[in-house]
Amino acid sequence: MSHPEFRNVAIVAHVDHGKTTLVNAMLEQSGAFGDHGEVADRVMDSGDLEKEKGITILAKNTAIHRKGLGKDGTDLIINVIDTPGHADFGGEVERGLSMVDGVVLLVDAAEGPLPQTRFVLGKALAAKLPVIILVNKTDRPDARIDEVVEESQDLLLELASGLEDPEAAEAAEQLLDLPVLYASGREGKASTENPGNGNAPDSADLQPLFDVIYNVLPEPTATIDAPLQAHVTNLDSSSFLGRLGLVRVHAGTLRKGQQVAWIHYDPEGGEHVKTVKIAELLRTDGVDRVPAEEVIAGDIAAVSGIDEIMIGDTLADVENPVALPRITVDEPAISMTIGVNTSPMAGRGGGDKLTARLVKSRLEQELIGNVSLRVNPTERPDTWEVQGRGEMALSVLVETMRREGFELTVGKPQVVTKTVDGKLNEPYEHTVIDIPSDYQGPVTQLMAGRKGQMLAMDTNPGSNWIRMEYRVPARGLIGFRTTFMTETRGTGIVNSYSDGFDVWAGEIKGRPSGSLVADRSGQVTAYALQQLADRGSFFVEPGAETYEGMVVGANNRDEDMDVNITKEKKLTNMRSATADATVTLSKAHTLSLDEAMEFCGNDECVEVCPDVLRVRKLVLSATERGRARAREKARNK
């Protein structure tokens, strides 16, 4: 029996450069959708949040079957990993790269390499993986294909020269000899010939891409006759089979019903070896998982029957249990506290999961499949510190829990610090900002206030846009995006990636506005909002319930102000023709979760419920807050 040939490849790129659309076209042209009828756009982005945000959050795999295209007429199976393009989900990228033998790097034909392009390419080069550059969206009217290819190759050489491993650096420089592909994922076309700016490739389909993947990327270095070694790289679940472990088979053959050695790592007790049975074995066929009797070395499959299987575990031969290296990821840079809802309105926000036991259980469940997340206990038994790569990664977790029915109290995001040689160090970000030149002054001033150091500034000839690059403490980017979009009237683009740790940059001033805080419980009245209209902007509408310590708006001044938002108009027996004329109020600004987390001050938190979001003070009592401020002033004297 002739075995199929395999190619395991990851599609990596900056966010919104077209990875998932390209994978969609690859699946469609391979007949993966069969008779499914109408196929959803970006089928790989299956999560609700992925569809809403238009980004990939979780690395997912699919298998593209090309009949008779392998050696001697055997079938070719291309296992494709669709990875996130946002640096906040870098753990997913690193996990995805551990499953493949090569990488297709997508670069937008107009935007060129951007910060996350550098991030994902650097990870691929460090893993010594061959990289094929694919210039996508060549049919964009503002495409600049030749310049983008040159920029991508320059980036490749720059990253290669910075690698600590000499062998990896030498291998990276040889990648310049690999072919460059040109594609339009939306049109489902690819070519090795430059189609010219603004044109789709002159080809019928994506066959040139499949040919390059087959001819250029290496076949998995795996031996079918060797003792079994399979690496657990991802987790999933099934309503029928329970927890599923997604494994890359590095050696040997994995069979349904087989007894295998499960090598599990416990941080406290080290490695444990236990004999288990593979209850069910599933292979990926397009977007579906289908039962299989066996999976050979080089392929990727899902196994069931091991309830406590974890990412990084190894399934090995019972007689010769040898573990594969653990999957390692970069350290987290941002943390925040997540706990039960402790506001006076707890239990009234539409949630049904309110207890500390449920919150703790859900966070522990998240640790199983999220390799870049950490959960640490705090002084309070109902609150935990959650650490991740960035604000977006943490906000996605909170939003997911919110949709599952949890009511939570979420603290302001903070940076994760560490001490190096007796000095306090904090994480830094390399930030790239694209703005119209009209906003250069305000943005420069904004970055200066956040301790940003300008590294470069370029102008685009024939365009009114400029690009500025900064090295800025990650602490300075917390709450930055909302202010940035306001300053640039929604036209600016900002991207960043981790730039390591460095010495603490000093105090960074927070948001320019203070909070308007309700000083009592009750219903918001239109009369009170009208009387306070000149104090700032509000987050609540008339009729909304409020409580003491709840933040109801943003103050025009940089100080907090306690306000009576429930004040009613006094009734008298005097009337005039215009006394009860309709009150016109500015529309309240309803905060999204991201906006609420960015607005949140050091002494504030966010009340997250399925039906409502509220910002509140950590200490609700205005009297207690006043005493705390007095004690702080006394200590500073």
Side-chain angles (χ1 to χ4, degrees), residues 400-552:
T400 302
M401 293 179 66
R402 175 192 183 190
R403 297 184 182 200
E404 292 172 357
F406 285 89
E407 289 195 12
L408 306 168
T409 298
V410 178
K412 177 181 173 63
Q414 307 284 347
V415 295
V416 177
T417 60
K418 61 182 181 180
T419 303
V420 179
D421 297 330
K423 295 182 179 179
L424 184 64
N425 279 233
E426 64 176 329
Y428 279 69
E429 298 276 324
H430 186 109
T431 304
V432 179
I433 296 174
D434 292 293
I435 53 170
S437 58
D438 297 345
Y439 303 116
Q440 178 181 348
V443 171
T444 302
Q445 186 175 2
L446 190 62
M447 293 302 292
R450 294 170 181 266
K451 305 293 185 181
Q453 302 173 4
M454 182 179 285
L455 304 176
M457 183 171 68
D458 297 315
T459 57
N460 190 357
S463 171
N464 187 40
W465 285 68
I466 61 173
R467 172 171 291 181
M468 299 188 292
E469 297 188 33
Y470 284 89
R471 188 170 191 261
V472 58
R475 180 167 45 103
L477 294 180
I478 296 175
F480 169 75
R481 294 179 189 274
T482 300
T483 307
F484 172 77
M485 297 306 288
T486 302
E487 292 287 351
T488 61
R489 305 296 188 270
T491 60
I493 301 172
V494 58
N495 293 285
S496 62
Y497 62 90
S498 176
D499 198 20
F501 280 72
D502 209 337
V503 179
W504 183 266
E507 183 182 358
I508 296 178
K509 190 175 180 181
R511 66 175 194 246
S513 61
S515 297
L516 297 174
V517 187
D519 65 357
R520 67 198 69 194
S521 301
Q523 274 196 339
V524 177
T525 64
Y527 177 75
L529 289 175
Q530 183 187 33
Q531 298 299 309
L532 296 168
D534 60 342
R535 297 294 187 183
S537 57
F538 288 91
F539 307 146
V540 291
E541 298 276 5
E545 289 286 332
T546 186
Y547 54 83
E548 182 182 9
M550 175 177 158
V551 176
V552 294

Side-chain angles (χ1 to χ4, degrees), residues 22-30 64 80 206 209-210 213:
L22 179 69
V23 174
N24 221 67
M26 294 170 71
L27 287 166
E28 192 169 3
Q29 293 183 18
S30 300
I64 296 172
V80 179
L206 293 171
L209 171 60
F210 294 128
I213 289 175

Side-chain angles (χ1 to χ4, degrees), residues 17-146:
H17 277 197
K19 299 180 303 301
T20 307
T21 301
L22 179 69
V23 174
N24 221 67
M26 294 170 71
L27 287 166
E28 192 169 3
Q29 293 183 18
S30 300
F33 298 134
D35 298 325
H36 287 193
E38 186 176 346
V39 178
D41 185 29
R42 297 188 300 112
V43 69
M44 294 294 285
D45 285 347
S46 54
D48 291 340
L49 281 175
E50 291 180 314
K51 294 175 181 177
E52 291 174 20
K53 292 178 177 288
I55 62 173
T56 300
I57 294 174
L58 299 175
K60 291 174 284 291
N61 76 297
T62 184
I64 296 172
H65 291 240
R66 308 291 286 178
K67 292 188 179 297
L69 293 184
K71 293 176 184 176
D72 303 324
T74 58
D75 291 346
L76 171 65
I77 298 177
I78 304 175
N79 289 308
V80 179
I81 310 297
D82 182 21
T83 63
H86 201 287
D88 279 19
F89 308 107
E92 294 293 312
V93 175
E94 290 157 340
R95 188 167 53 72
L97 293 180
S98 69
M99 303 165 66
V100 300
D101 305 294
V103 166
V104 174
L105 175 71
L106 260 71
V107 186
D108 189 288
E111 297 179 1
L114 287 177
Q116 270 76 48
T117 312
R118 171 186 291 268
F119 172 78
V120 294
L121 180 58
K123 294 296 181 185
L125 295 181
K128 302 179 185 178
L129 295 174
V131 178
I132 298 171
I133 296 175
L134 186 149
V135 181
N136 195 28
K137 304 185 183 181
T138 59
D139 51 348
R140 281 186 59 160
D142 55 347
R144 46 186 192 93
I145 298 173
D146 292 334

